[in-house]
Amino acid sequence: MTTSDAQTGKYATVNGLRMYYEIHGTGSPLVLIHGGGSTLHTTFGRIIPYLAKTHRVIGVELQAHGHSGDRDAPESFQQDADDVAALLKHLNIAKADIFGFSNGGQTAMEIGMRHPTLVNKLIVASAFYKKDGAPAGFWEGIVHAKFSDMPQVYKDEFLKINNNPAALMNMFTKDSQRMQTFKDWKAEDLQKIKAPVLVLIGDHDLPTPEHAVEMYRLFEKGHLAILPGSHGSYMGEIMTSNPNLEILQYFVAVLNEFLG
């Protein structure tokens, strides 16, 4: 556990899972949900200081990821949604803004469907709702996913937190299985979400701009932002080796404008 974790990190038992979370800043609650294979800080570490200036940021780590424990069950976006909802109830938070990146975006949509009373506004960043939202090559890679394909920086960051190679392999396996069994949501599933939703991607992202446009039109109160950059580079996700500070600040401004 790093020094910052020791100061801000806490655990709650939710649905039988020992779940890790951090709280930064004050203001209206904003929940951060990381991507697959990631941790809170590999996804959001560079923007938490900005977001915490205006929000009570609640960053989580999902089942089998980072500091959090695991359960004898596969990962699913539905279960992740229920875990985040249970954590908010544990924290006595009746309603929050939810920001999910990549696979966290799919979890955010599930929260909007399964726990609508908990949601103020949703931010779905670099995510898709059906398979054809990502290039065919992505799915070919998922079918043949190998541990050696996992970016080394994700492996390194996991092992800094939990120096257990078996736990790292377990996370990789469960993440891979979740995507290998991915099933499209239906248009009517997204149309059930009545909260305002900001669909946000980079112009060279994994989901295509065309898919982002299609997805945002399905939400009753949909908003769309397409920023310069690749998968998460617009917010300094850890795979971005040299993030553009101006783009990061612009991204935060777009979020704050949407969240009001």
Side-chain angles (χ1 to χ4, degrees):
M1 185 176 280
T2 67
T3 302
S4 62
D5 292 340
Q7 292 171 350
T8 58
K10 295 183 172 69
Y11 291 87
T13 300
V14 297
N15 301 325
L17 176 73
R18 188 170 186 258
M19 188 177 197
Y20 178 83
Y21 67 97
E22 295 180 12
I23 296 178
H24 300 265
T26 58
S28 59
L30 172 62
V31 178
L32 306 184
I33 307 175
H34 61 75
S38 301
T39 67
L40 170 62
H41 286 278
T42 59
T43 295
F44 298 109
R46 284 169 169 151
I47 60 165
I48 285 175
Y50 296 102
L51 297 173
K53 291 178 181 178
T54 49
H55 299 87
R56 182 188 181 197
V57 173
I58 302 150
V60 305
E61 288 183 339
L62 301 174
Q63 174 187 347
H65 289 75
H67 300 80
S68 287
D70 195 13
R71 53 167 68 89
D72 186 18
E75 293 175 355
S76 73
F77 297 124
Q78 295 82 7
Q79 182 63 62
D80 288 341
D82 291 350
D83 291 344
V84 173
L87 177 66
L88 290 176
K89 291 173 184 173
H90 170 81
L91 296 173
N92 295 313
I93 295 173
K95 194 177 282 280
D97 297 315
I98 311 291
F99 172 14
F101 169 76
S102 196
N103 280 173
Q106 276 104 13
T107 297
M109 288 191 288
E110 280 290 351
I111 295 172
M113 297 171 203
R114 297 169 71 85
H115 305 279
T117 61
L118 288 176
V119 177
N120 184 35
K121 295 181 179 180
L122 286 178
I123 299 161
V124 178
S126 294
F128 46 80
Y129 81 98
K130 57 183 182 178
K131 281 190 171 182
D132 68 7
F138 169 76
W139 296 107
E140 291 167 10
I142 289 292
V143 169
H144 303 290
K146 301 188 298 294
F147 182 67
S148 58
D149 298 330
M150 183 178 180
Q152 188 63 41
V153 66
Y154 292 155
K155 297 177 184 177
D156 293 344
E157 290 301 312
F158 183 96
L159 292 173
K160 284 179 189 176
I161 292 168
N162 182 0
N163 189 20
N164 181 345
L168 172 59
M169 179 61 77
N170 173 66
M171 178 190 71
F172 170 78
T173 301
K174 286 193 168 183
D175 278 1
S176 298
Q177 290 171 344
R178 180 173 60 186
M179 294 313 291
Q180 287 165 3
T181 56
F182 178 84
K183 289 183 170 48
D184 294 356
W185 280 280
K186 298 182 178 67
E188 51 264 36
D189 295 329
L190 273 62
Q191 289 165 344
K192 292 174 185 173
I193 297 176
K194 303 306 180 185
V197 182
L198 173 62
V199 175
L200 191 148
I201 65 166
D203 59 358
H204 289 81
D205 214 317
L206 175 62
T208 63
E210 292 79 7
H211 182 73
V213 171
E214 175 187 339
M215 188 162 72
Y216 114 87
R217 291 193 187 281
L218 292 173
F219 295 115
E220 183 175 300
K221 299 175 183 174
H223 301 257
L224 176 66
I226 301 178
L227 302 181
S230 56
H231 196 63
S233 69
Y234 50 82
M235 57 185 238
E237 196 271 346
I238 200 166
M239 290 289 286
T240 312
S241 58
N242 188 25
N244 183 317
L245 183 59
E246 290 182 354
I247 294 293
L248 263 62
Q249 292 171 332
Y250 178 70
F251 168 75
V252 171
V254 169
L255 259 59
N256 286 335
E257 174 69 20
F258 170 69
L259 295 173

